[in-house]
Amino acid sequence: QVQLVETGGGLVEVGGSLRLSCTASGGTFTDYAMGWFRQAPGKEREFVATISRGSKRTRYSDPVKGRFTISRDNTRNTVYLQMNNLKPEDTAIYYCAADYTVTGAVDARTSAYEYWGQGTQVTVSS
């Protein structure tokens, strides 16, 4: 069993920046591709970004490309999401997720991820 804990959410003004962290425990961190997803009120959970086991591959959803950066530090069992130039439409609960894989692939599908964090609220005010 893998446990994921997100931190770093909060209230930020339009155009501001925020860095989310997700620390994993209970598993071998390098066995998992890691992803970030978000869910706004009344909407389905949507893909944000993912990173492969060795950080050689990343993928982003179109709304966040050029503004968000996903990274991971395997020595700290932590994945990060650096969010710059935030917009009101970025307001959502952000979830960290782990995808067990024997390859270095990444996957944008929510169904691919076995473990999920509790979420952290990001609110962008105008």
Side-chain angles (χ1 to χ4, degrees), residues 78-104:
T78 300
V79 62
Y80 306 93
L81 186 67
Q82 178 67 48
M83 305 184 292
N84 297 327
N85 191 24
L86 284 161
K87 303 176 179 180
E89 51 263 44
D90 295 319
T91 295
I93 300 174
Y94 283 71
Y95 296 92
C96 173
D99 170 22
Y100 179 83
T101 178
V102 297
T103 72

Side-chain angles (χ1 to χ4, degrees), residues 17-40:
S17 297
L18 211 57
R19 189 195 196 199
L20 306 183
S21 298
C22 171
T23 299
S25 62
T28 302
F29 188 64
T30 52
D31 285 346
Y32 297 87
M34 300 297 296
W36 287 97
F37 296 78
R38 66 188 183 186
Q39 187 167 20

Side-chain angles (χ1 to χ4, degrees), residues 30 53 77 100 115 124:
T30 52
R53 293 166 57 183
N77 291 352
Y100 179 83
Y115 301 99
V124 184

